[in-house]
Amino acid sequence: MAQDVPTTSRPGEVKLEATTEEKPPVLRRGLPQVFRLRLVYSSQDILNPPALFTPSRGATPMGRDVRSGIPLPRDGRASRLHATLHADALGRLRVVDEKSRNGTYVNGQRVDEALLEDGDVLSIGDSYLVVRAEPEHQADAPVPSLLGDAPSMRALRAAIHRVGPTAVTVLLLAESGCGKEVVARAVHDASRRRGPFVAVNCSAIPEGLAESQLFGHLANAFSGAVARPGLFRAADGGTLFLDEVGDLPQAVQPKLLRVLQDRMVLPVGATAPVACDVRIVAATNRDLAADIAAHRFRGDLFARLSEFPLGIAALRERREDILPLLEHALGAPRARISPALAEALLLHSWPFNVRELFALATQLRIRGGEAEVLDLDLVADRLEPPSSAAPAASRPTTASDRRPSSDRVPSSDEEARSEADEREPPPDRAQLEELLRAHRGVVADIARAMRRSRKQIYRWIAHHDLDVQRFRS
């Protein structure tokens, strides 16, 4: 499964920047760009693969009963004509709410009209679409282990297909939790090399043993030593994956450079080098440019490692892949997920990337039990990160009503309202049970009706020790 890196990189166009900083996606220059929308969820169903729509010039209708445009026939909360998309001559895309019954939302905020940008989540009724500005013609290639329909994933698969059969060294630039080893294995599989795939975490090698573990040692090279070939020779004829190469001890860096140049290793205690046919794939989540400037990492070693740099997009930069990946992680048979949970997943910032998504899927499987529909309350505690992890703020809108969202930075008014919520006494048990029955146990709907945060509703439920599941049918 494919999974994460420098937030601004694309294959063939990598910039070394701090990988933890959120930035807008970088699109390839010189290629024609087009706005497309991917319908990823509608009427309690994950669409895998997402349904793809390309708005035409002029107005594109969206709704439950439209003959062209973007039809949502099974979404009971969508109006017959819910909204329209308008593409202008400059390539910009704008959504206009057509006085819909349940409102139109962009990134969790209700809008009358809004300019759409790459990566926005557009909500129509109980349907969710991801907006993407992408190359008009995006290459792809079959790489079964890398799942995802996002343009960044298709570009990554195409790049692996090109570079795999070569002998060049590949440097993967990725945030933690992005599945760098999965991508490294995909490069190895594409190489058709017959030797093994050997992975080593450079940050876990003790500095005093790094040379011996990488290059091997002779018997009696040090007290009590038994001859060992080392990781390079263990991968002879195959691929050696150097994960977290930015953490490699400085004393070993020039020796690694020599091995990459000469394709020979010198075991500890030996006087003659040994030939070694190894393909190197390295990876890091560090800002190597800053490390080079601070003399923590050798620039010449970076140049040798980065013969072909590959960026893996962070999960928050490919939101169209979140729900299909969750479906894969849940396995079969799987329950459906509620609209509130789908929205929270799409708007979550995913600071720990695909690793975090897999952990959340495990929690849903265990807590959900035999439930037919998995709701937000099962994992609400995991989908309310601190405001510093929230995605970029939405553009100004013309409506003040806001759909509850677990992952946006609260305004000062909202913070004050949240504090007031905490001081507000809970309603009596009978009143809360009536609300749960009326809204079929959907906490997000109660929050909207009460104009309270979901967190506040959960506080009330916990106060009265109510089981939300028994109100769902």
Side-chain angles (χ1 to χ4, degrees), residues 36-39 47 49-54 130 134 149 154:
R36 294 192 175 103
L37 289 87
R38 287 171 172 79
L39 179 63
L47 279 68
L52 184 65
F53 299 96
T54 304
V130 176
E134 60 187 271
D149 186 62
R154 286 179 280 144

Side-chain angles (χ1 to χ4, degrees), residues 59-350:
T60 300
M62 307 174 68
R64 182 167 41 85
D65 187 21
V66 298
R67 295 185 178 180
S68 60
I70 301 180
L72 305 168
R74 296 190 301 117
D75 189 339
R77 294 190 70 249
S79 298
R80 297 181 65 182
L81 174 61
H82 197 108
T84 51
L85 296 169
H86 300 265
D88 63 22
L90 298 177
R92 296 173 301 189
L93 190 64
R94 182 175 295 274
V95 63
V96 176
D97 182 75
E98 299 294 344
K99 299 181 180 179
S100 63
R101 181 176 69 255
N102 292 310
T104 299
Y105 295 81
V106 177
N107 299 333
Q109 292 188 327
R110 186 167 184 168
V111 301
D112 293 329
E113 181 177 342
L115 192 66
L116 298 176
E117 294 183 2
D118 182 68
D120 282 345
V121 177
L122 177 61
S123 307
I124 302 290
D126 282 336
S127 299
Y128 300 99
L129 303 98
V130 176
V131 180
R132 188 63 69 200
E134 60 187 271
E136 189 171 3
H137 302 289
Q138 176 68 69
D140 200 349
V143 181
S145 60
L146 302 184
L147 306 181
D149 186 62
S152 59
M153 289 309 300
R154 286 179 280 144
L156 177 61
R157 289 191 292 260
I160 289 172
H161 183 73
R162 291 195 304 271
V163 75
T166 72
V168 303
T169 299
V170 175
L171 178 62
L172 304 178
L173 299 167
E175 294 181 7
S176 294
C178 289
K180 298 184 290 292
E181 185 169 339
V182 175
V183 177
R185 284 184 180 273
V187 174
H188 171 69
D189 292 341
S191 73
R192 297 187 289 273
R193 294 176 68 88
R194 296 187 177 182
F197 175 88
V198 177
V200 56
N201 187 332
C202 295
S203 65
I205 301 178
E207 184 169 357
L209 299 178
E211 184 176 357
S212 174
Q213 289 196 15
L214 290 172
F215 311 131
H217 58 260
L218 300 184
N220 300 317
F222 46 86
S223 179
V226 177
R228 293 285 186 268
L231 292 165
F232 266 83
R233 282 192 286 167
D236 192 35
T239 300
L240 179 61
F241 174 47
L242 299 174
D243 196 10
E244 307 302 349
V245 72
D247 296 326
L248 197 67
Q250 287 183 281
V252 180
Q253 292 178 24
K255 297 173 183 178
L256 174 58
L257 177 62
R258 174 65 66 180
V259 173
L260 295 178
Q261 290 173 337
D262 298 343
R263 300 295 170 179
M264 303 183 79
V265 298
L266 182 65
V268 175
T271 57
V274 180
C276 191
D277 174 25
V278 174
R279 166 74 172 282
I280 299 296
V281 178
T284 185
N285 63 0
R286 295 176 64 98
D287 181 356
L288 289 185
D291 287 346
I292 291 169
H295 305 290
R296 290 188 296 265
F297 199 83
R298 293 178 64 105
D300 50 3
L301 177 57
F302 168 74
R304 178 65 67 174
L305 289 171
S306 60
E307 289 179 336
F308 195 90
L310 275 179
I312 313 169
L315 187 56
R316 63 181 169 274
E317 294 177 349
R318 50 188 190 103
R319 295 187 185 275
E320 57 267 59
D321 293 341
I322 291 170
L323 298 183
L325 282 172
L326 178 74
E327 181 180 56
H328 175 84
L330 287 172
R334 82 170 170 82
R336 295 176 296 169
I337 69 172
S338 71
L341 177 56
E343 180 183 47
L345 291 166
L346 289 169
L347 295 180
H348 185 52
S349 63
W350 299 105

